[in-house]
Amino acid sequence: MTEAEFSATDISAAIGPGLRRPRRLRTSNNMRRLVSEVDLAPRQLILPMFVADGIDQPREISSMPGVYQHTEDSLVRAVEEAAELGIGAVDLFGVPLDSDKDAEGSQSWHDNGVLNRALRRLQKEFGSDVIVAADTCLDEFTDHGHCGVPGHDHHGHSVIDNDATLLRYQKMAIAQAAAGADIVSPSGMMDGQVEAIRTALDANGFQDVAILAYSAKYASAFYGPFRDAVGSSLEGDRCSYQQDPANRRESLLEVQLDIDEGADMVMVKPAMPYLDIVREVADMSPVPVAAYQVSGEYAMISAAAANGWIERDRAFMEALLGIRRAGADMILTYWAVEAARRLK
Ligand code: PBG
């Protein structure tokens, strides 16, 4: 039978009168807008930023086109631009001179360390107009590149010493709070880091400084470009403190512990390969949930777009929406400013 021989009656007989037609809600822009389930708004975006010592102009990170190591002055200008576009917060990482790194990362708690200087400058320029978070981790400041200080286990083997590291995180968090950080964000995956930091902040009059805990942070290949961005000295890996990508339940434990220890907000990181974890954490968490779209996620889309293989802006907006749909309240993303501009 040819197509011409079908009659309208044949067709309706074949499909029945009660066919559900979900396409009705996709017929026009306005109809799609009416039924759209998830929103992306600038206030939900947190921009990670890098401030480097010893440079006199911003330096683009080769594996992250459009992302810069900032001088203090260019940082101020970039924060101003981000704030005008209505993003929720910035999250600051420091890049010290190699000559200032040592085994315990002591520049991270010195008042004149690069990160604390920049925090003080942002506090002076913006006061309470911009929410500023600080990365509370030693890895940018240690000469071995680990997130904690080295020590020995009971066999005499070298390990990253959990409890000795907590003392350094306490000093770092106090220095960041004193420099004006609104939020400290421990990213080193040491056991007890949230409680240690909360205790230290409270004992020093910083009850109102919030903790955004990197709760479920995986040992991920997707951090590759970030290590460029901060000039990481790491040799080896972080598998003895960051989580195994195979594990799901462990994230629920880590999140629960951080909440019990006083985390004001929790985070899953990376985002795209761990959207199932974002969803599960969003379902169980009584505190706001952040997800970190990491450097490798940025680099992948950027590189594919540079080759003409993917539409850059549509791809990153879709990735961000996917992270929201998975349940994240907030997203740390290097596209925060561009996304906010598109959302205006
Ligand atoms: C470590 C830290 C890392 C990132 C944020 N904080 C790297 C790591 O754990 O090796 C990665 C962020 C990114 O890849 O965008 N303090």
Side-chain angles (χ1 to χ4, degrees):
M1 196 159 52
T2 66
E3 217 176 302
E5 289 170 72
F6 275 116
S7 71
T9 356
D10 290 334
I11 291 171
S12 63
I15 59 185
L19 180 68
R20 291 297 303 269
R21 295 188 184 275
R23 285 185 57 195
R24 263 182 219 123
L25 300 186
R26 298 177 205 139
T27 47
S28 69
N29 258 332
N30 282 339
M31 187 63 92
R32 290 189 289 270
R33 177 169 165 267
L34 175 69
V35 299
S36 168
E37 294 179 39
V38 172
D39 268 327
L40 189 61
R43 69 174 183 90
Q44 296 151 347
L45 305 175
I46 300 174
L47 176 65
M49 304 182 86
F50 304 101
V51 59
D53 220 344
I55 56 174
D56 49 23
Q57 51 189 14
R59 184 197 288 162
E60 192 170 30
I61 296 151
S62 58
S63 50
M64 301 175 73
V67 178
Y68 293 83
Q69 288 185 356
H70 283 289
T71 67
E72 256 184 52
D73 289 336
S74 71
L75 177 75
V76 168
R77 287 193 298 273
V79 169
E80 185 162 22
E81 181 191 25
E84 275 166 8
L85 285 161
I87 71 160
V90 299
D91 184 16
L92 209 52
F93 294 84
V95 184
L97 297 172
D98 274 345
S99 56
D100 283 334
K101 297 181 179 182
D102 59 27
E104 42 164 20
S106 62
Q107 235 220 35
S108 68
W109 60 81
H110 287 165
D111 281 346
N112 64 348
V114 58
L115 179 53
N116 297 324
R117 274 190 344 251
L119 289 169
R120 205 165 276 114
R121 176 77 187 275
L122 292 183
Q123 178 60 36
K124 180 173 148 242
E125 301 279 345
F126 302 105
S128 55
D129 292 342
V130 181
I131 298 292
V132 177
D135 187 60
T136 312
C137 189
L138 298 180
D139 64 312
E140 286 95 39
F141 299 93
T142 53
D143 53 15
H144 44 74
H146 277 292
C147 297
V149 294
H152 297 282
D153 68 8
H154 56 284
H155 301 294
H157 298 146
S158 331
V159 292
I160 295 305
D161 184 334
N162 193 87
D163 299 8
T165 300
L166 296 184
L167 295 173
R168 274 75 179 187
Y169 287 175
Q170 290 181 313
K171 293 202 261 187
M172 188 176 185
I174 292 167
Q176 293 176 337
D182 302 292
I183 300 172
V184 297
S185 63
S187 60
M189 290 300 282
M190 295 298 130
D191 294 337
Q193 62 186 12
V194 172
E195 182 172 36
I197 287 172
R198 186 71 271 158
T199 307
L201 289 174
D202 288 357
N204 286 274
F206 299 117
Q207 289 86 351
D208 292 336
V209 172
I211 300 177
L212 166 59
Y214 286 65
S215 302
K217 179 174 179 181
Y218 287 87
S220 172
F222 290 90
Y223 305 147
F226 176 92
R227 305 217 174 136
D228 258 7
V230 299
S232 170
S233 313
L234 183 68
E235 282 168 36
D237 60 52
R238 306 198 198 287
C239 293
S240 78
Y241 41 103
Q242 298 179 346
Q243 288 177 238
D244 180 344
N247 293 354
R248 177 187 67 80
R249 275 194 304 246
E250 191 179 26
S251 280
L252 303 179
L253 173 64
E254 288 282 5
V255 167
Q256 190 60 57
L257 289 172
D258 281 359
I259 291 169
D260 294 345
E261 290 179 28
D264 299 287
M265 299 167 272
V266 295
M267 192 200 297
V268 175
K269 176 180 177 185
M272 196 187 255
Y274 298 92
L275 292 178
D276 57 327
I277 308 295
V278 174
R279 167 47 60 199
E280 288 205 60
V281 169
D283 285 346
M284 60 75 88
S285 174
V287 302
V289 175
Y292 198 142
Q293 181 187 54
V294 300
S295 57
E297 298 175 65
Y298 182 92
M300 279 195 299
I301 291 177
S302 302
N307 277 298
W309 295 338
I310 202 169
E311 268 181 68
R312 179 178 181 279
D313 293 19
R314 276 187 61 203
F316 77 67
M317 292 301 280
E318 182 178 332
L320 291 170
L321 197 63
I323 299 166
R324 286 275 300 139
R325 195 188 60 243
D329 301 293
M330 297 165 285
I331 306 171
L332 289 95
T333 172
Y334 301 99
W335 279 301
V337 165
E338 280 186 77
R341 198 175 286 126
R342 287 185 63 96
L343 291 166
K344 281 257 150 161

